[in-house]
Amino acid sequence: MSFLVEENPAERRFEILVDNALAGFTAYVPRGEVLVCTHTEVDERYRGMGVGAALVQGTLDQIRARGGRVVPECSFMAEFIERHPEYADLVVPAP
């Protein structure tokens, strides 16, 4: 199984493709260099397979690579960051 996380700016979300099929997304609201991540959703067919974690990790890696920051309003993302403190430096308080 191959994962690919890509940003879809038109939809304001990061999407994860599993074997070239859309498996989930993390929606955001841009606030300058900060992305307020509001919701993460994984298709039922892909739950329990690590797709959500791969999606959030890929999203955070891309935000870090471009020097951005994140407000994790989405509880799934907030919990991921708690379990992976190496991403804590990307978090800023809600505007």
Side-chain angles (χ1 to χ4, degrees):
M1 192 167 31
S2 67
F3 298 148
L4 175 64
V5 177
E6 295 182 317
E7 185 175 10
N8 181 341
E11 296 289 327
R12 292 187 171 173
R13 66 189 195 178
F14 285 84
E15 299 173 340
I16 188 165
L17 304 175
V18 175
D19 298 330
N20 295 318
L22 181 63
F25 64 88
T26 294
Y28 63 80
V29 177
R31 298 277 185 259
E33 294 299 311
V34 175
L35 296 183
V36 180
C37 295
T38 58
H39 180 69
T40 297
E41 188 171 311
V42 173
D43 187 289
E44 284 182 14
R45 296 172 292 169
Y46 299 100
R47 292 190 184 152
M49 302 167 70
V51 173
L55 169 59
V56 171
Q57 181 175 0
T59 297
L60 294 171
D61 287 344
Q62 290 183 45
I63 291 169
R64 171 175 277 143
R66 66 182 187 216
R69 299 298 196 95
V70 66
V71 176
E73 285 187 356
C74 164
S75 60
F76 186 85
M77 179 178 278
E79 290 168 10
F80 179 91
I81 293 170
E82 281 183 29
R83 289 191 314 272
H84 298 88
E86 63 271 24
Y87 292 104
D89 63 309
L90 297 177
V91 176
V92 296

